[in-house]
Amino acid sequence: AAKRAGKNQYQFFTQTMQQEISERISLTHDLRSAVDNGELHLVYQPIYRLHDITLIKAEALIRWQHPTRGNIPPGTFIPLAEESGFIIEIGKWVFNEVLHDLSTIDPLRLQGVQISLNISPVQFAHPQHLMAFIKRLERSNIPCELFCFEITEGLLLEPSRVVQDTLKTLKQAGIKLSIDDFGTGYSALGYLKKYHVDYVKIDRSFISNLGEDNYDFILCRSIIQMAHELNMQLIAEGVENAQQENILKVINCDFIQGFLHGRPALFSTLLQQIDQQTLEQLSQPLLIAETK
Ligand code: C2E
Ligand code: MG
Ligand code: MG
Ligand code: MG
């Protein structure tokens, strides 16, 4: 009986594995038509300066509304796109979409709020379309300084010649660099300095238990301290409550991103938030003058 159970178990595993594989193949296939059929769109999540909750950046995040399966999260389809190389096409689509959104407004309306884009390591291995994006910006009225590329620390560990040259060109053009999901990989800050990284984003997994887990607290505090000594600024990801926010203030974090102050939303919503903030800033000196 034990032998039979063992055999069944084995069949069960191969069956789920088989299902998983065909699922991945079918999603990879569907992704190719998703671009042409307009099933993708972008949302923007605000990033705030911690001491006064001023909006200073927004991260563009991709969304896929599948015709029969509904919303498929990027955590599911981005790795498939990376494996198949289709991430290059997705990356081009993201650049086009962002430039389209920005073309609908005067860039001055952003009030210097930077747009952060997630760039896969696969895109760095084939950097022609990254270069094409820079050239397009240089021909437009949108400054390169308005953009920040979010990369993962793995890219900087042992970068190829191509990757090093690409990073150099991006920095020279004025593009800012963020290290995404910091703490989940190698977590060495020293080599980040070499590539003139501007921002380090502490991964959400270290923020979520900040109030309860002393280890996470110590880790975040020392990451922030070391990064500051190397002239980099810190963004905490996934800040969901006031307790996390308060602790981050105590340990001198610079910026926060998370559901507490802002969820990913349409470009029009981001613009509304920026406009409102601009109005508030304009009316502040007036209020002080009136009360004198
Ligand atoms: P990421 O770059 O680390 O993006 C942050 C993720 O955390 C986003 O998930 C965001 O919605 C989520 N998040 C933000 N604040 C909170 C919070 O307070 N609580 C919780 N629970 N989650 C929060 P999302 O949009 O599902 O994206 C997942 C990942 O997919 C991204 O992680 C990024 O690695 C990748 N991705 C998204 N868009 C793109 C893209 O255009 N290109 C590439 N290459 N990757 C992308
Ligand atoms: Mg990111
Ligand atoms: Mg992240
Ligand atoms: Mg992440």
Side-chain angles (χ1 to χ4, degrees):
K3 223 176 180 176
R4 257 179 77 174
K7 198 180 168 204
N8 283 341
Q9 217 168 33
Y10 173 71
Q11 279 175 340
F12 172 75
F13 274 122
T14 47
Q15 227 176 39
T16 39
M17 269 161 62
Q18 195 56 50
Q19 263 168 14
E20 215 171 88
I21 290 166
S22 48
E23 169 90 358
R24 288 158 71 92
I25 292 171
S26 105
L27 273 185
T28 306
H29 173 265
D30 292 353
L31 194 52
R32 291 185 180 268
S33 46
V35 177
D36 299 329
N37 297 346
E39 295 163 20
L40 301 178
H41 72 275
L42 280 185
V43 286
Y44 296 84
Q45 186 180 26
I47 297 174
Y48 300 90
R49 188 162 66 206
L50 181 51
H51 82 86
D52 58 359
I53 312 300
T54 297
L55 208 173
I56 51 106
K57 282 156 92 73
E59 179 176 7
L61 295 160
I62 199 165
R63 294 291 177 262
W64 180 12
Q65 192 65 35
H66 189 285
T68 55
R69 298 165 183 236
N71 179 55
I72 298 176
T76 303
F77 71 84
I78 292 290
L80 297 178
E82 289 179 325
E83 280 166 38
S84 63
F86 195 63
I87 190 71
I88 305 285
E89 293 310 312
I90 304 263
K92 284 184 193 167
W93 179 86
V94 170
F95 285 143
N96 277 332
E97 196 66 10
V98 163
L99 290 182
H100 169 77
D101 282 342
L102 291 177
S103 73
T104 61
I105 58 156
D106 181 339
L108 287 175
R109 190 168 159 200
L110 290 180
Q111 296 283 310
V113 168
Q114 288 172 8
I115 306 294
S116 278
L117 303 177
N118 291 286
I119 311 289
S120 157
V122 180
Q123 290 177 267
F124 271 87
H126 306 276
Q128 296 84 352
H129 71 294
L130 301 180
M131 296 303 131
F133 177 65
I134 304 296
K135 291 223 176 70
R136 273 175 83 181
L137 287 179
E138 283 168 349
R139 283 196 306 265
S140 77
N141 62 342
I142 309 166
C144 286
E145 284 77 9
L146 218 53
F147 288 92
C148 181
F149 282 4
E150 297 197 3
I151 59 177
T152 49
E153 37 184 339
L155 186 75
L156 301 186
L157 198 66
E158 275 178 4
S160 66
R161 188 81 252 161
V162 175
V163 170
Q164 289 182 42
D165 291 346
T166 307
L167 285 166
K168 205 173 155 195
T169 312
L170 295 177
K171 285 304 294 185
Q172 277 170 349
I175 303 276
K176 305 279 183 283
L177 284 184
S178 276
I179 298 297
D180 209 349
D181 306 330
F182 190 80
T184 58
Y186 309 94
S187 308
L189 283 162
Y191 68 92
L192 300 187
K193 198 56 207 153
K194 187 172 155 202
Y195 297 100
H196 307 282
V197 167
D198 304 281
Y199 306 96
V200 176
K201 300 186 78 174
I202 307 176
D203 192 64
R204 175 158 57 91
S205 57
F206 299 99
I207 305 302
S208 48
N209 298 319
L210 211 48
E212 296 88 44
D213 192 319
N214 199 38
Y215 178 80
D216 286 351
F217 172 78
I218 291 169
L219 206 86
C220 286
R221 190 177 57 184
S222 39
I223 290 173
I224 292 171
Q225 194 187 338
M226 273 197 291
H228 279 165
E229 282 170 16
L230 295 165
N231 273 322
M232 294 182 274
Q233 292 189 295
L234 279 297
I235 304 172
E237 295 187 321
V239 179
E240 292 181 347
N241 60 54
Q243 188 194 25
Q244 293 161 349
E245 182 184 38
N246 288 332
I247 296 173
L248 288 164
K249 272 187 188 158
V250 170
I251 58 180
N252 283 322
C253 187
D254 302 284
F255 308 106
I256 58 169
Q257 174 179 14
F259 296 168
L260 176 64
H261 290 293
R263 287 179 180 263
L266 295 178
F267 186 64
S268 56
T269 307
L270 176 70
L271 285 179
Q272 277 171 17
Q273 289 171 320
I274 295 172
D275 287 348
Q276 164 137 25
Q277 180 167 291
T278 309
L279 278 174
E280 279 165 14
Q281 284 166 348
L282 281 172
S283 63
Q284 256 165 18
L286 211 76
L287 284 175
I288 293 164
E290 275 171 2
T291 51
K292 260 186 190 167

